[in-house]
């Protein structure tokens, strides 16, 4: 009985793994020509081209809209191929939701082909600050697959914090709420379908990372504004497509746990060691991938950020 079970599991792996290996990003149709491209929740690797994140494709009669451009020229080409395969049309517009490498370092590939790359000025400002360091960070991972990749910025920079665009006849909004994973992170909102491409505002299945440039407190405020939109579906920056309840469970509740916790300790001037000792165990969130690697560092960076701001 046990043996038969083991054989069945082995067969399943043999059948499923090769099919998945060829498909770097799983396409999830959301109806009406809208697709999420779901990347691995693990780390950047040579094999995944640094595309360990989610992207979006929206079909229009005039061409495809791609949400986020990948981490390299090579990654950009892969995303363009996927968009073409899903819609039968080349990418005509790219929108950057953020400034972490895989959100925008593929811009140059699209710009050199005359694609309009759109981003908020706030997002571009952060890209300008971090671009060269991000390229350095990718070099050891992507090796020759990074060659030719250079920072390139949006051809259409939006100074406001919100924009209502019509691209190929489709209403597409870009919204900035507050600085989140990176300063200037934005959400792409499809008002008709109530779909939010949340970029790095939302992580599901895996724990979010509070980086030195992240602000957990304003990130939570941004998350509350995303909630207020009342999305029917959320394409997170990382993890499977979800709804509001799923986004709350894996991101909103975690940010609330972090910020409430560290504010309490900072108020008492407890010090970072004491905050990490007290908050470093969060069994509610231990089911999320990367919890062991990231949680204690998240507490410490969130604490230091709050202490700095006091
Ligand atoms: Zn990310």
């Amino acid at each position: 009985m046990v043996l038969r079970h083991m054989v069945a599991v082995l067969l399943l792996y043999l059948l499923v793994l090769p099919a998945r290996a060829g498909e770097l990003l799983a396409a999830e149709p959301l109806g009406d020509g809208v697709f999420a491209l779901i990347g691995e929740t693990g780390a950047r690797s040579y094999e995944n081209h640094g595309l360990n994140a989610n992207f979006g494709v929206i079909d229009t009669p005039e061409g495809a809209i791609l949400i986020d451009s990948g981490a390299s020229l090579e990654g950009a080409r892969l995303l363009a191929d996927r968009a073409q395969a899903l819609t039968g049309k080349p990418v005509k517009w790219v929108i950057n939701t953020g400034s972490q490498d895989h959100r925008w370092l593929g811009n140059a590939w699209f710009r050199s082909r005359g694609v309009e790359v759109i981003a908020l000025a706030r997002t571009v400002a952060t890209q300008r600050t971090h671009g060269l360091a991000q390229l350095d960070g990718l070099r050891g991972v992507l090796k020759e697959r990074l060659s030719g990749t250079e920072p390139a910025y949006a051809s259409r920079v939006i100074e406001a914090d919100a924009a209502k665009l019509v691209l190929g006849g489709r209403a597409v909004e870009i919204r900035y709420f507050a600085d989140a994973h990176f300063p200037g992170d934005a959400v792409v909102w499809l008002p008709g379908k109530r779909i939010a491409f949340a970029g790095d505002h939302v992580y599901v299945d895996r724990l979010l990372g509070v980086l030195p440039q992240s602000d957990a407190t304003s990130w939570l405020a941004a998350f509350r504004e995303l909630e207020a939109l009342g999305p029917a579906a959320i394409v997170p920056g990382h993890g499977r497509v979800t709804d509001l309840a799923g986004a709350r469970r894996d991101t909103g509740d975690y940010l609330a746990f972090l910020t409430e916790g560290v504010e309490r300790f900072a108020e008492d001037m407890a010090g970072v060691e004491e905050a990490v000792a007290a908050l470093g165990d969060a069994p509610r969130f231990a089911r999320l991938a990367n919890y062991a690697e990231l949680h204690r560092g998240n507490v410490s960076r969130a604490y230091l950020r709050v202490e700095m701001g006091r």
Side-chain angles (χ1 to χ4, degrees):
M1 200 56 199
V2 171
L3 187 68
R4 194 180 300 166
H5 182 70
M6 281 170 63
V7 169
V9 167
L10 188 68
L11 270 176
L12 193 69
Y13 268 92
L14 287 173
L15 287 171
V16 169
L17 279 182
R20 291 194 53 182
E23 210 82 291
L24 204 53
L25 299 158
E28 182 163 348
L30 302 174
D32 200 18
V34 181
F35 303 88
L37 293 175
I38 306 297
E40 296 173 357
T41 48
R44 287 162 186 74
S45 69
Y46 181 80
E47 289 70 26
N48 67 27
H49 294 266
L51 301 177
N52 58 329
N54 296 343
F55 303 87
V57 173
I58 302 165
D59 190 13
T60 88
E62 294 170 31
I65 305 166
L66 174 68
I67 298 171
D68 293 328
S69 63
S72 65
L73 294 186
E74 190 65 15
R77 192 183 55 74
L78 286 166
L79 288 168
D81 287 350
R82 288 306 294 277
Q84 172 95 39
L86 289 168
T87 65
K89 302 181 190 92
V91 171
K92 188 162 179 193
W93 301 273
V94 167
I95 303 175
N96 295 154
T97 65
S99 39
Q100 200 166 21
D101 50 10
H102 39 223
R103 305 265 162 236
W104 71 282
L105 282 174
N107 283 357
W109 192 90
F110 290 99
R111 289 217 49 187
S112 72
R113 280 156 183 81
V115 172
E116 183 169 50
V117 178
I118 306 168
L120 299 184
R122 284 179 180 276
T123 312
V124 175
T126 308
Q127 291 171 348
R128 289 189 182 277
T129 309
H130 295 289
L132 292 177
Q134 288 174 352
L135 275 178
D136 279 344
L138 283 171
R139 212 155 272 136
V141 179
L142 299 188
K143 303 186 171 70
E144 86 286 352
R145 285 184 169 174
L146 191 68
S147 62
T149 305
E150 293 289 344
Y153 306 96
S155 46
R156 182 168 170 189
V157 177
I158 296 165
E159 295 295 331
D161 286 341
K164 294 184 179 189
L165 310 175
V166 179
L167 304 175
R170 292 194 84 130
V172 178
E173 298 183 15
I174 309 178
R175 303 281 198 101
Y176 163 82
F177 299 130
D179 292 346
H181 186 51
F182 275 64
D185 282 351
V187 167
V188 172
W189 172 240
L190 305 183
K193 298 204 42 93
R194 310 199 72 73
I195 294 173
F197 285 91
D200 285 330
H201 290 86
V202 178
Y203 285 55
V204 299
D205 305 324
R206 59 152 290 191
L207 193 72
L208 61 85
V210 176
L211 302 177
Q213 55 272 68
S214 310
D215 184 330
T217 306
S218 56
W219 187 343
L220 178 60
F223 184 85
R224 295 292 179 231
E225 295 210 39
L226 173 66
E227 283 182 314
L229 283 178
I234 296 174
V235 180
H238 301 268
R240 287 166 296 177
V241 175
T242 190
D243 56 11
L244 217 36
R248 277 188 192 122
R249 205 159 43 233
D250 291 3
T251 293
D253 290 354
Y254 181 71
L255 287 171
F257 167 85
L258 264 189
T259 54
E260 281 158 22
V262 298
E263 269 155 29
R264 191 155 30 87
F265 281 89
E267 202 164 300
D268 298 343
M269 292 186 285
V272 66
E273 286 84 6
E274 203 178 319
V276 173
L279 305 168
D281 251 335
R284 268 168 80 193
F285 304 104
R287 65 192 156 75
L288 296 171
N290 306 323
Y291 169 86
E293 295 80 3
L294 295 180
H295 174 61
R296 292 171 77 84
N298 285 350
V299 173
S300 124
R301 274 188 291 275
Y303 179 88
L304 293 171
R305 184 86 190 212
V306 166
E307 196 182 59
M308 216 168 63
R310 291 177 78 83

